[in-house]
């Protein structure tokens, strides 16, 4: 009997090899890294149409841009696409992305927190200054967001930008994304002399930023949507913390059956474990 051919090795299953020798130190010092060639254009092309189709199907924002508030103008947001589509689940559960996250966080394993697609329409407004971890009821800062554009993202399309070193700055951690966070954090970034790092993204580039790193994005002055997939990974040993605001209370819904002090394992599987390789 003829043996069946082996399944082809997918890029998503292969470790990323584009690390500079200082990448973990840079991530710890700056609060973010921008990596080139995280995924090939071919892999982006394989997944982008499915993600875009699901964003269109699941989007609940139907107001004209002019009638929305600042947050509504920033992007169309659809969360946990991995639960809606098996193709997208392949990307979100990627050992490549999760392996990068584990290396940067300095942990042996990471599990999924959630994903979200963020599509900034042509004419879409700014994404105000904010820190993601304001929304997360988690016991440590060993968590990060992957920001993966699904097209080239030049400056006029509003690439994500970071305040270098701001993850060590405690001011402003009580602010949800809003006009207030934009005004107060913009002033604080200037007063503290944090560098506002704005850089275009080539196709296949991705950034990784810590939960308390302040970041923002400009408006989309282009003619097509700025299509971005984000994934949040966390230390596999992290525990649920007592919520400190209503948003964190709502986020408990992504960790069903998990009590304060427990590891959120029910719907948050370990996606990369270096000890298992």
């Amino acid at each position: 009997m003829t043996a069946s051919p082996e399944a082809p090795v997918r890029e998503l299953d292969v470790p990323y090899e584009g690390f500079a020798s200082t990448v973990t130190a840079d991530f710890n010092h700056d609060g973010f890294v921008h990596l080139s060639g995280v995924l090939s254009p071919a892999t982006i092309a394989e997944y982008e149409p499915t993600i875009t189709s699901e964003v269109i199907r699941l989007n609940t924002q139907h107001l004209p841009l002019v009638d929305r508030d600042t947050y509504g103008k920033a992007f169309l947001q659809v969360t946990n696409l991995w639960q809606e589509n098996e193709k997208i689940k392949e990307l979100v559960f990627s050992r490549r992305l999760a392996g990068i996250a584990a290396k940067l966080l300095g942990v042996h394993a990471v599990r999924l927190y959630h994903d979200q697609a963020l599509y900034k329409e042509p004419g879409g407004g700014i994404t105000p200054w904010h820190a993601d971890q304001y929304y997360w009821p988690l016991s440590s800062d060993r968590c990060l967001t992957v920001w993966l554009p699904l097209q080239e993202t030049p400056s006029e399309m509003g690439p994500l930008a970071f305040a270098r070193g701001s993850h060590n700055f405690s001011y402003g951690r009580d602010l949800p994304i809003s006009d207030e966070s934009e005004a107060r954090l913009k002033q604080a970034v200037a007063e503290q002399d944090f560098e506002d790092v704005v850089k275009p993204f080539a196709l296949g580039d991705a950034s990784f930023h810590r939960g308390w790193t302040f970041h923002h994005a400009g408006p989309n002055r282009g003619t097509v949507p700025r299509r971005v997939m984000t994934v949040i990974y966390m230390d596999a040993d992290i525990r649920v913390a007592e919520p400190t605001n209503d948003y964190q209370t709502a986020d408990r819904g992504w960790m069903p059956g998990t009590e304060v002090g427990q590891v959120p394992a029910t719907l948050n599987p370990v996606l990369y474990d270096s000890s298992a390789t």
Side-chain angles (χ1 to χ4, degrees):
M1 182 166 57
T2 304
S4 59
E6 294 184 4
V9 176
R10 299 185 310 164
E11 181 178 68
L12 294 179
D13 298 326
V14 177
Y16 176 69
E17 297 182 349
F19 293 116
S21 60
T22 61
V23 65
T24 301
D26 292 341
F27 181 73
N28 288 331
H29 180 270
D30 297 340
F32 71 94
V33 292
H34 179 140
L35 300 178
S36 299
V38 170
L39 296 178
S40 67
T43 296
I44 296 290
E46 180 180 352
Y47 288 90
E48 180 277 323
T50 302
I51 296 170
T52 296
S53 177
E54 289 296 283
V55 169
I56 292 170
R57 181 176 74 88
L58 297 168
N59 168 53
T60 59
Q61 174 62 268
H62 302 296
L63 283 175
L65 269 170
V66 68
D67 294 330
R68 302 179 203 167
D69 61 13
T70 299
Y71 187 85
K73 291 175 181 176
F75 39 64
L76 304 178
Q77 182 177 19
V78 182
T79 301
N80 277 339
L81 289 176
W82 76 266
Q83 294 179 312
E84 302 286 341
N85 187 284
E86 286 296 318
K87 184 70 175 178
I88 298 173
K89 183 178 179 180
E90 294 175 1
L91 178 64
V92 174
F93 281 42
S94 160
R95 282 181 53 80
R96 171 170 286 209
L97 296 181
I100 296 172
K103 180 179 179 66
L104 294 175
L105 291 172
V107 298
H108 73 92
V110 293
R111 65 177 73 246
L112 176 68
Y113 186 30
H114 66 86
D115 70 60
Q116 47 187 3
L118 303 174
Y119 276 42
K120 191 182 290 285
E121 300 152 279
I126 66 165
T127 304
W129 281 103
H130 67 285
D132 295 340
Q133 196 148 350
Y134 168 83
Y135 295 92
W136 304 342
L138 301 174
S139 62
S140 82
D141 65 353
R142 294 296 173 182
C143 39
L144 59 72
T145 300
V146 184
W147 198 82
L148 176 67
L150 303 175
Q151 74 291 302
E152 291 186 9
T153 310
S155 298
E156 60 265 25
M157 290 185 73
L160 201 62
F162 308 93
R164 191 189 304 276
S166 59
H167 59 300
N168 294 318
F169 184 56
S170 60
Y171 174 82
R173 292 185 175 185
D174 59 340
L175 295 172
I177 184 171
S178 61
D179 291 328
E180 182 182 7
S181 72
E182 170 68 11
R184 289 175 58 184
L185 293 178
K186 184 177 182 178
Q187 179 179 355
V189 166
E191 290 176 348
Q192 296 297 316
D193 201 26
F194 292 129
E195 181 185 1
D196 182 8
V197 183
V198 185
K199 182 179 178 181
F201 283 67
L203 186 62
D205 286 5
S207 62
F208 296 71
H209 63 270
R210 302 185 72 105
W212 287 120
T213 301
F214 292 122
H215 55 284
H216 71 127
N220 182 4
R221 297 189 176 93
T223 58
V224 297
R226 188 210 67 183
R227 296 155 290 162
V228 173
M229 187 65 182
T230 70
V231 187
I232 295 89
Y233 298 109
M234 55 189 175
D235 179 2
D237 297 324
I238 209 166
R239 296 178 183 272
V240 174
E242 190 71 47
T244 60
N245 58 58
D246 290 343
Y247 297 102
Q248 291 189 8
T249 300
D251 262 21
R252 289 285 305 280
W254 294 334
M255 299 174 285
T258 306
E259 300 300 325
V260 171
Q262 294 181 334
V263 174
T266 305
L267 277 183
N268 307 85
V270 173
L271 302 182
Y272 176 87
D273 187 343
S274 61
S275 65
T277 58

